C-alpha cells in the first residue's frame, strides 16, 4: 500500500520551481502535494501528481532529472492529537523516517494525509496497519 | 651594470646567431647519434642531420611534446651514457604526469651559469646573502638558484620551502638581501613579516620569483609590502630548470639565454613558425645540453618575443610573461592539477564526465571548485544520499590531488558548452593578465 511520488532535481536559483509547475500545467497535470528540500547548492522537489508517468516523461523531455519513489500516505484522524497519534506509532516502533510532508485531498471531504518516506516500505506499512492507521493507495490519490 | 658573463650576455646579435648556428648543428648530430627515440622521429619526417646547417633549418625538425617525454620515460630521451649523468630532476606532477630530466656535470655547470646571470641581473653580488626558499630535491627551483648563487659567490641560505617561522628568523638574523621563492609564497611571507612586526628588521632588496604564473598586481603588492624589487624568472625542468630566461632591472620581459636555447613562436594548432612579435606557443631547442637535449620542445606557454634592445645592455631576446597555456594544466595552491585527474575520480564514482573546474583566489589563497552535473545515477529523493555522495567525491579528489576541492552539484546540461564541448576550466585568478 504505497503511492508514487515524483522526485525532481532543482538547482537553487530563481524560477526553478516555476519551470516545473509550468511544464506540468501545460500538460494538464495536477499537483496534489509537494514539498521542497534544499541545500545551499541544490534542491529536490517532491510531488504527488495526477499522472506520474506522463509527468516524468514531459519533465525528462525538458532535460530534468526525475525519479519515481514509492512512499506511504497515511490518513490523519480528524481529531485533536490526530497527527500525534500517528507519530507515536512511528516512534514506538522505531520506524526511521527520511522525510514527511502533509497534504489535503478535496474529494475525500478534505481529509489530511501525511506522506512518509521510509527505507523499508513493507515493514512500515505492516506497523501502521497493525496500529489501525488508514493508508491510501495510488488510485485514491489520483482520482478527482 | 654588472653581468655574470658580460661578453656573452652583451654579445652582438651576429655573434649570438653564429653560436646558435654552430651549436644547433652540433646538438642535432649528438642527438641523432645517441638518442634512438628522436632519431626515429627525424626519420619519420625524412630529416637527416645533414639537412640542418643553421638555425634557418630548425623548422625542418620534428617537435617534442610532453607526450614524447612520457612515451620515452624514463631513459628514452637520454643522449649520454648513464655513466656520464650525475643528476636527475623532476617536475612536481603527480604519478603518471612526472617528467624527469638528466644532467651531466657540464649540464649542471651551464644551468648554474644561467641562474647566476639571473641573480646578477637583479643586482646580486658576492656581498649578498641569498635566501633560497624554493623546494630542494627533485624540484628544480632550489637546486637551480642554489647553484647560481654559489657561482655568483653570494652567501647562500638553502632554506627550501615551508617552515615560515624559521625562514623569518634566518632572514632577519643573517640579513638576507635577495630572496628566491614562488610569488605566492613571497606574498605569504610578506604577510607574516607584517604580522610579526619585522618589517624594519629585514634587509631584503630584491626577489626572484618564478615557478608559477603571477600578475603585475602581485608584483606591485610584493614590492610594496617587502620594500624590494620583484623579478620574474622562467624555466622548465625539461629544459634544465629556472634560468632559461630571467628579468633584468628593466622589468620589461625576460632575457632568454640564447647561447643555450633557441626560442621560436609557433601557431599551436598548425605548428607553423610565426614571425617575431606574434603571439603563439613558445618552443625551445636546447643547444648546449649533453644528457637531455630537447629539440623543438613545445612548452605549451602562449607568449610573445621581443628583440628590441634593452636598457640593461643585454642583447639576448626577451620573452613576455606567458599569457596562458595551450593545454589546461592548472597550478592551484602550488600543486599541479590536471583536469584528467579530476575526470578520473568522477568516473570512478560513477559520474559522467560533465564537470567544470573553477579556480579562484581570495587574498593569497587559491580555491578549487569542481562542478558536477547531476545525473540520474547520482540523483536521489533524499538529501542525505546526495550529500554523502558529495562527501565521497570530495574525499576521493583530496586523495588524488592532495588539495581540497569544493564539490558542487549543478543541474543537468547547465555547464556551458562551446561547440558541443564543455568548457572544462574557468580560472578567475587572471594570472596571465598583465
Ligand atoms: Zn634587460
Amino acid at each position: 500500500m504505497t503511492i508514487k511520488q515524483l522526485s525532481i532535481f532543482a538547482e537553487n536559483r530563481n524560477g526553478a520551481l516555476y519551470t516545473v509547475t509550468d511544464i506540468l500545467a501545460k500538460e494538464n497535470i495536477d499537483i496534489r502535494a509537494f514539498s521542497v528540500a534544499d541545500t545551499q547548492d541544490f534542491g529536490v522537489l517532491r510531488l504527488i501528481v495526477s499522472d506520474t508517468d506522463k509527468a516524468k516523461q514531459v519533465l525528462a523531455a525538458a532535460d530534468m532529472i526525475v525519479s519515481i519513489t514509492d512512499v506511504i500516505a497515511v490518513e490523519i484522524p480528524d481529531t485533536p492529537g490526530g497527527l500525534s497519534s500517528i507519530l507515536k506509532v512511528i516512534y514506538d516502533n522505531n520506524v526511521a523516517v527520511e522525510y514527511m510532508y502533509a497534504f489535503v485531498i478535496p474529494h475525500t471531504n478534505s481529509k489530511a494525509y501525511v506522506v512518509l518516506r521510509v527505507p523499508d516500505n513493507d515493514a512500515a506499512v505492516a506497523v501502521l496497519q497493525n496500529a489501525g492507521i488508514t493508508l491510501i493507495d495510488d488510485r485514491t490519490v489520483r482520482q478527482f | 651594470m654588472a653581468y655574470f658573463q658580460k661578453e656573452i650576455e652583451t654579445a652582438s646579435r651576429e655573434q649570438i646567431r653564429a653560436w646558435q648556428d654552430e651549436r644547433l648543428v652540433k646538438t642535432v648530430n649528438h642527438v641523432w647519434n645517441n638518442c634512438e627515440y628522436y632519431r626515429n622521429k627525424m626519420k619519420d619526417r625524412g630529416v637527416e642531420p645533414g639537412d640542418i646547417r643553421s638555425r634557418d633549418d630548425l623548422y625542418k625538425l620534428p617537435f617534442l611534446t610532453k607526450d614524447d617525454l612520457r612515451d620515452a620515460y624514463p631513459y628514452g630521451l637520454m643522449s649520454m651514457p648513464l655513466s656520464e649523468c650525475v643528476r636527475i630532476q623532476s617536475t612536481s606532477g603527480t604519478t603518471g604526469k612526472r617528467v624527469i630530466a638528466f644532467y651531466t656535470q657540464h649540464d649542471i655547470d651551464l644551468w648554474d651559469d644561467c641562474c647566476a646571470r639571473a641573480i646578477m641581473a637583479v643586482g646580486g653580488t658576492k656581498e649578498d646573502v641569498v635566501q633560497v626558499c624554493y623546494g630542494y630535491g627533485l624540484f628544480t627551483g632550489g637546486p637551480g638558484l642554489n647553484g647560481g648563487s654559489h657561482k655568483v659567490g653570494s652567501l647562500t641560505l638553502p632554506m627550501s620551502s615551508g617552515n615560515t617561522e624559521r625562514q623569518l628568523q634566518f632572514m632577519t638574523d643573517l640579513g638576507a638581501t635577495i630572496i628566491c621563492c614562488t610569488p605566492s609564497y613571497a606574498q605569504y611571507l610578506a604577510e607574516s613579516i607584517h604580522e610579526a612586526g619585522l618589517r624594519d628588521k629585514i634587509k631584503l632588496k630584491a626577489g626572484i620569483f618564478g615557478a608559477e604564473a603571477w600578475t603585475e598586481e602581485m608584483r606591485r603588492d610584493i614590492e610594496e609590502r617587502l620594500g624590494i624589487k620583484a623579478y620574474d624568472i622562467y624555466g622548465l625542468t625539461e629544459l634544465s630548470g629556472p634560468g632559461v630566461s630571467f628579468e633584468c632591472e628593466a622589468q620589461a620581459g625576460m632575457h632568454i639565454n640564447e647561447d643555450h636555447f633557441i626560442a621560436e613562436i609557433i601557431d599551436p594548432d598548425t605548428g607553423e613558425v610565426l614571425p617575431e612579435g606574434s603571439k603563439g606557443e613558445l618552443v625551445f631547442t636546447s643547444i648546449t645540453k649533453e644528457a637531455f637535449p630537447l629539440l623543438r620542445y613545445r612548452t605549451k606557454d602562449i607568449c610573445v618575443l621581443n628583440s628590441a634592445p634593452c636598457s640593461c645592455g643585454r642583447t639576448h631576446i626577451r620573452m613576455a610573461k606567458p599569457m596562458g597555456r595551450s593545454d589546461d594544466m592548472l597550478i592551484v595552491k602550488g600543486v599541479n592539477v590536471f583536469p584528467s585527474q579530476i575526470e578520473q575520480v568522477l568516473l570512478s564514482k560513477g559520474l559522467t564526465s560533465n564537470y567544470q573546474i573553477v579556480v579562484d583566489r581570495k587574498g593569497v589563497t587559491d580555491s578549487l571548485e569542481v562542478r558536477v552535473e547531476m545525473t540520474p545515477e547520482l540523483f536521489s529523493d533524499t538529501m542525505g544520499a546526495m550529500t554523502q555522495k558529495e562527501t565521497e567525491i570530495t574525499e576521493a579528489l583530496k586523495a588524488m590531488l592532495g588539495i581540497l576541492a569544493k564539490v558542487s552539484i549543478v543541474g543537468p546540461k547547465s555547464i556551458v558548452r562551446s561547440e558541443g564541448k564543455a568548457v572544462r576550466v574557468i580560472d578567475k585568478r587572471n594570472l596571465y593578465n598583465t
Side-chain angles (χ1 to χ4, degrees):
Chain A
M1 183 80 84
T2 56
I3 65 169
K4 303 272 180 218
Q5 171 195 275
L6 271 184
S7 308
I8 303 148
F9 174 79
E11 280 183 280
N12 256 2
R13 56 177 173 80
N14 289 338
L17 181 57
Y18 169 72
T19 311
V20 172
T21 56
D22 186 49
I23 290 169
L24 296 179
K26 282 182 177 140
E27 297 291 333
N28 277 323
I29 296 167
D30 238 46
I31 298 172
R32 295 291 152 77
F34 87 91
S35 87
V36 182
D38 59 7
T39 68
Q40 234 173 350
D41 300 317
F42 61 88
V44 179
L45 303 180
R46 298 156 187 153
L47 305 183
I48 310 290
V49 297
S50 55
D51 189 339
T52 310
D53 290 335
K54 188 177 173 196
K56 183 181 180 189
Q57 189 197 323
V58 295
L59 291 171
D63 287 331
M64 294 194 176
I65 292 185
V66 189
S67 66
I68 294 177
T69 316
D70 289 322
V71 293
I72 299 168
V74 176
E75 188 185 300
I76 303 175
D78 191 16
T79 53
L83 178 60
S84 191
S85 64
I86 291 167
L87 296 181
K88 182 169 175 11
V89 172
I90 291 169
Y91 177 72
D92 287 345
N93 290 280
N94 289 319
V95 177
V97 178
E98 310 257 24
Y99 56 81
M100 62 172 80
Y101 54 98
F103 68 108
V104 165
I105 304 181
H107 69 88
T108 59
N109 294 324
S110 290
K111 274 189 181 146
Y113 297 85
V114 62
V115 168
L116 299 177
R117 168 70 158 102
V118 297
D120 185 346
N121 278 330
D122 292 343
V125 165
V127 163
L128 293 163
Q129 285 180 332
N130 276 342
I133 291 168
T134 308
L135 309 183
I136 52 169
D137 61 15
D138 225 17
R139 255 188 33 233
T140 315
V141 177
R142 317 233 176 256
Q143 65 188 209
F144 272 98
Chain B
M1 214 76 74
Y3 311 93
F4 178 66
Q5 290 165 312
K6 184 166 193 282
E7 69 293 350
I8 297 171
E9 294 178 69
T10 62
S12 68
R13 290 303 304 168
E14 293 69 34
Q15 177 62 66
I16 293 170
R17 169 72 203 223
W19 282 327
Q20 290 190 335
D21 287 342
E22 178 210 326
R23 292 171 185 180
L24 173 65
V25 170
K26 198 174 151 202
T27 302
V28 169
N29 278 284
H30 170 60
V31 170
W32 174 272
N33 292 329
N34 296 291
C35 175
E36 188 187 356
Y37 186 93
Y38 197 78
R39 181 165 63 239
N40 288 337
K41 282 192 82 111
M42 284 176 67
K43 282 178 178 167
D44 286 347
R45 276 192 70 143
V47 187
E48 290 188 356
D51 298 325
I52 312 299
R53 280 165 307 192
S54 75
R55 67 159 290 176
D56 286 340
D57 299 318
L58 187 57
Y59 74 94
K60 295 175 184 169
L61 290 170
F63 290 115
L64 280 171
T65 65
K66 201 162 245 179
D67 288 339
D68 287 307
L69 301 196
R70 275 178 218 142
D71 290 349
Y73 178 92
Y75 289 124
L77 282 163
M78 202 157 101
S79 295
M80 288 292 269
L82 202 67
S83 57
E84 298 303 311
C85 296
V86 298
R87 173 93 68 81
I88 78 156
Q89 302 285 163
S90 175
T91 60
S92 58
T94 49
T95 323
K97 305 287 181 191
R98 232 172 236 295
V99 163
I100 57 173
F102 303 90
Y103 304 75
T104 62
Q105 186 54 52
H106 185 248
D107 290 333
I108 288 176
D109 282 343
L110 298 188
W111 177 25
D112 289 349
D113 286 348
C114 289
C115 290
R117 291 179 194 174
I119 291 170
M120 288 196 68
V122 308
T125 67
K126 63 200 294 284
E127 310 299 327
D128 279 292
V129 177
V130 177
Q131 181 160 353
V132 182
C133 22
Y134 282 116
Y136 280 65
L138 284 171
F139 179 52
T140 53
L145 272 307
N146 192 89
S149 176
H150 277 227
K151 286 244 177 173
V152 173
S154 309
L155 176 63
T156 311
L157 308 185
M159 301 299 296
S160 197
S161 52
N163 201 338
T164 302
E165 205 177 309
R166 191 177 61 194
Q167 300 277 5
L168 296 187
Q169 192 192 340
F170 275 74
M171 185 185 291
T172 48
D173 289 355
L174 298 169
T177 50
I178 295 175
I179 184 164
C180 308
C181 62
T182 62
S184 55
Y185 191 59
Q187 283 189 305
Y188 182 76
L189 279 176
E191 222 167 72
S192 308
I193 286 166
H194 276 254
E195 277 168 15
L198 294 172
R199 181 67 166 75
D200 296 336
K201 300 247 167 29
I202 60 168
K203 297 203 169 67
L204 291 179
K205 61 178 186 185
I208 300 176
F209 305 120
E212 63 184 27
W214 54 309
T215 60
E216 282 303 314
E217 199 186 346
M218 285 169 77
R219 189 209 293 268
R220 281 191 295 275
D221 179 60
I222 294 167
E223 290 190 334
E224 210 167 279
R225 290 204 285 171
L226 288 176
I228 63 171
K229 293 283 254 174
Y231 298 94
D232 208 351
I233 188 165
Y234 176 92
L236 295 170
T237 303
E238 300 90 304
L239 297 167
S240 58
V244 171
S245 66
F246 60 87
E247 232 174 25
C248 63
E249 71 228 9
Q251 292 182 316
M254 294 175 275
H255 289 284
I256 294 168
N257 285 311
E258 286 189 282
D259 53 325
H260 298 304
F261 304 98
I262 299 175
E264 297 171 278
I265 294 288
I266 63 160
D267 179 326
D269 296 322
T270 64
E272 186 196 346
V273 179
L274 300 175
E276 199 207 303
S278 312
K279 189 164 121 182
E281 183 179 338
L282 186 57
V283 173
F284 277 113
T285 296
S286 43
I287 50 173
T288 51
K289 288 184 72 180
E290 296 176 336
F292 203 68
L294 297 186
L295 298 169
R296 300 198 89 200
Y297 181 67
R298 294 183 60 159
T299 63
K300 306 273 188 186
D301 283 322
I302 302 297
C303 194
V304 177
L305 298 180
N306 172 13
S307 67
C310 184
S311 59
C312 74
R314 288 179 183 79
T315 49
H316 292 228
I317 200 168
R318 281 172 288 166
M319 59 179 270
K321 201 187 261 297
M323 291 150 216
R325 289 184 66 80
S326 60
D327 66 1
D328 51 12
M329 183 193 86
L330 292 161
I331 299 175
V332 184
K333 297 178 188 171
V335 173
N336 289 358
V337 172
F338 291 84
S340 56
Q341 294 175 300
I342 291 173
E343 188 166 333
Q344 200 182 321
V345 168
L346 298 179
L347 289 173
S348 77
K349 293 282 160 195
L351 299 169
T352 66
S353 51
N354 290 329
Y355 66 92
Q356 190 166 55
I357 299 160
V358 183
V359 190
D360 207 345
R361 175 172 285 174
K362 278 218 173 80
V364 298
T365 311
D366 289 339
S367 67
L368 176 65
E369 180 189 2
V370 178
R371 293 179 181 161
V372 187
E373 281 189 359
M374 179 56 91
T375 61
E377 293 75 25
L378 178 60
F379 180 64
S380 160
D381 66 308
T382 62
M383 306 301 278
M386 283 188 283
T387 44
Q388 194 196 329
K389 195 92 182 187
E390 262 185 340
T391 309
E392 268 176 45
I393 300 167
T394 306
E395 279 167 5
L397 285 171
K398 177 98 200 285
M400 171 67 96
L401 306 173
I403 55 171
L404 190 69
K406 178 193 186 317
V407 174
S408 304
I409 295 176
V410 298
K413 305 203 176 165
S414 67
I415 288 173
V416 182
R417 287 159 170 78
S418 76
E419 294 171 352
K421 261 191 92 184
V423 177
R424 288 275 172 256
V425 179
I426 297 177
D427 195 336
K428 295 180 174 170
R429 296 176 296 183
N430 281 326
L431 293 175
Y432 295 110
N433 289 356
T434 50

